[in-house]
Amino acid sequence: MKPLSVRLSGVPKSSIRKLFDLLTQEDAISLGIGQPDFPAPQAVIDATIAALREGKGSVYAPTMGIPRLKAIIAQKLQKENNIAADPEKNVMVTNGGSGSITLAFAAILNPGDEVILFSPNFLSYFYVASYFDAKAVEAPRRPDFGPSLDALEKLVSPKTKAVLINSPNNPTGYACSRAEIEAIASFCIEHDLYLISDEVYEKIIYDGFTHVSPASLDGMADRTITLNAASKTLSLTGFRVGYLCAPEPMLPLMENYIQYTCAGTNHPCQYGVAAGLEQILKEPASLDPVIKAYQKKRDACYARLNEAGLECPKPRGAFYIMPRVDATGMDGAAFSRRLVESSGVAVVPGGGFGKYSANHVRVSYAIDDLKLDDALSRIERFVKSGK
Ligand SMILES: Cc1ncc(COP(=O)(O)O)c(C=O)c1O
């Protein structure tokens, strides 16, 4: 038989999926998956069912998304992100945040191009770049996981096409300040680079911190692609609906890509997401209880992991925390394997998020409080006694 795709054969199985294979214990607890633990809003479910009843599941959606959802996204971008977007020229509905990433890369990357990102970072960026024969170049984060402008300066080259940021961040929980976003934006203008801003965790942010969208800054709208999804904000990871806002010349290219790969996005679910985004626009405080609950879990993880000797900076957003584990004499991979084998708790080895985090693990705390408490107790015991 002739060889299969070289490009796809080189991609390892996701470290998170591998972890599930190890989770065999009956009372196992997974701190591995990045998935909200609250139910989707009733308004989303009702609107999706109504759309199904109207037969939307039997009809293709418009390739770029239904007009109602695109209009609400444009309103949301204006009100919440201070981004002026034309729903027909700048907005597109996608197959989740993952679909948004793929389309952003498809629109701007040519073979040999490089995208600089701060490392550790979300693993999909590395592999999706390779699907377009481009390379994700890792700029090491500061010890507090903040972005390092010095690292960007060292890595930029004629091959650099874009900088990619994800704030609040998976896996570190770091959220950039306005000054940091402004500095990265100035860097992109100075070096004539695109900026890809993955904002899927924009709403999950703590301690009164404010999310800043780089596309809202002067001179940035025509070089920034803003990525988002319904998955994390509305607890809709199973819907596979996301969206993006991009400069006008990019949209036809994205349309070319999506029409022949996906032929659009789930039709009935777009009505549900429209209802969910509309509800948040009308009642922004409706998310407060969810954020408060995450913040309580964040506080517990931050205090107990540091006390156990697993040093970690305090996350400002998302639902992840990333402790160093090398004080235990193990790297992230060994720690993760032995923890799951001896204590039935799954955490993700940091090496899956880039080359600067082999001595870390990622903990996702988006789980029930009692289970989280139990998992933290098991981690404390494991660190103390090795079991
Ligand atoms: C930073 C980041 N971007 C994008 C995604 C993908 O989102 P979706 O599940 O909507 O495809 C994730 C999922 O975990 C993520 O953490």
Side-chain angles (χ1 to χ4, degrees):
M1 301 283 259
K2 297 200 174 183
L4 302 179
S5 159
V6 174
R7 200 176 282 122
L8 296 185
S9 309
V11 175
K13 186 170 173 183
S14 154
S15 45
I16 302 174
R17 302 279 150 183
K18 268 193 215 154
L19 202 67
F20 288 135
D21 299 345
L22 288 173
L23 266 188
T24 47
Q25 242 173 267
E26 214 171 77
D27 63 344
I29 304 176
S30 173
L31 304 178
I33 194 158
Q35 180 162 282
D37 68 328
F38 62 94
Q42 192 57 43
V44 171
I45 294 166
D46 293 344
T48 307
I49 291 172
L52 274 169
R53 290 217 165 96
E54 282 166 24
K56 303 295 186 197
S58 307
V59 189
Y60 286 110
T63 312
M64 305 298 270
I66 60 168
R68 174 169 150 66
L69 178 54
K70 288 197 296 180
I72 289 168
I73 291 167
Q75 280 172 38
K76 175 244 178 285
L77 288 165
Q78 183 66 66
K79 185 176 168 208
E80 297 181 351
N81 305 90
N82 202 18
I83 299 172
D86 180 322
E88 291 311 312
K89 296 181 179 150
N90 305 112
V91 175
M92 175 170 183
V93 179
T94 64
N95 291 285
S98 306
S100 300
I101 295 166
T102 306
L103 284 162
F105 285 10
I108 64 171
L109 294 181
N110 289 315
D113 283 348
E114 294 184 351
V115 177
I116 306 180
L117 46 76
F118 297 104
S119 179
N121 220 321
F122 181 49
L123 68 174
S124 295
Y125 308 137
F126 297 93
Y127 301 114
V128 180
S130 77
Y131 297 165
F132 294 99
D133 289 324
K135 191 173 161 200
V137 174
E138 298 177 61
R141 290 177 180 276
R142 299 189 312 243
D144 70 349
F145 291 138
S148 156
L149 264 287
D150 287 348
L152 282 188
E153 290 287 359
K154 280 190 195 129
L155 292 168
V156 70
S157 80
K159 289 185 182 167
T160 312
K161 195 63 160 294
V163 172
L164 185 154
I165 57 172
N166 164 229
S167 173
N169 177 250
N170 173 9
T172 63
Y174 192 87
C176 291
S177 65
R178 173 172 281 277
E180 286 166 340
I181 297 282
E182 284 174 353
I184 294 165
S186 300
F187 180 87
C188 290
I189 291 173
E190 186 190 330
H191 294 276
D192 188 22
L193 304 175
Y194 295 108
L195 179 58
I196 301 170
S197 177
D198 182 339
E199 305 185 14
V200 298
Y201 297 102
E202 62 169 342
K203 297 284 183 199
I204 307 172
I205 199 154
Y206 310 124
D207 307 324
F209 220 76
T210 311
H211 172 74
V212 177
S213 293
S216 67
L217 303 180
D218 279 352
M220 288 306 292
D222 62 358
R223 61 174 73 245
T224 304
I225 311 176
T226 305
L227 314 182
N228 215 323
S231 309
K232 315 288 173 172
T233 307
L234 292 167
S235 193
L236 291 172
T237 48
F239 260 39
R240 314 310 311 136
V241 177
Y243 54 96
L244 58 78
C245 172
E248 191 178 339
M250 293 184 193
L251 271 279
L253 277 68
M254 293 172 170
E255 183 171 16
N256 287 346
Y257 187 87
I258 204 170
Q259 71 187 335
Y260 298 120
T261 51
C262 319
T265 302
N266 186 311
H267 197 176
C269 288
Q270 291 189 52
Y271 288 87
V273 172
L277 291 181
E278 198 169 36
Q279 188 178 56
I280 297 177
L281 269 181
K282 283 191 191 138
E283 301 165 50
S286 59
L287 281 178
D288 288 356
V290 173
I291 309 305
K292 231 174 141 183
Y294 282 141
Q295 184 159 331
K296 190 173 150 217
K297 297 176 208 284
R298 187 271 319 246
D299 290 344
C301 290
Y302 172 67
R304 291 178 65 177
L305 292 171
N306 275 297
E307 263 164 40
L310 304 181
E311 188 195 321
C312 42
K314 194 175 205 173
R316 295 170 168 182
F319 37 62
Y320 310 101
I321 188 163
M322 198 174 208
R324 288 189 77 95
V325 294
D326 44 347
T328 62
M330 289 174 264
D331 66 4
F335 184 95
S336 166
R337 194 182 55 251
R338 284 177 50 188
L339 178 69
V340 82
E341 282 165 4
S342 73
S343 314
V345 174
V347 296
V348 186
F353 300 97
K355 64 182 176 191
Y356 296 109
S357 41
N359 287 327
H360 293 74
V361 294
R362 187 194 74 174
V363 170
S364 168
Y365 51 82
I367 63 161
D368 165 83
D369 282 345
L370 287 177
K371 273 195 187 153
L372 182 62
D373 180 56
D374 185 359
L376 289 170
S377 300
R378 293 192 207 180
I379 292 173
E380 285 158 353
R381 264 199 311 276
F382 173 73
V383 172
K384 244 191 203 154
S385 65
K387 11 186 182 81

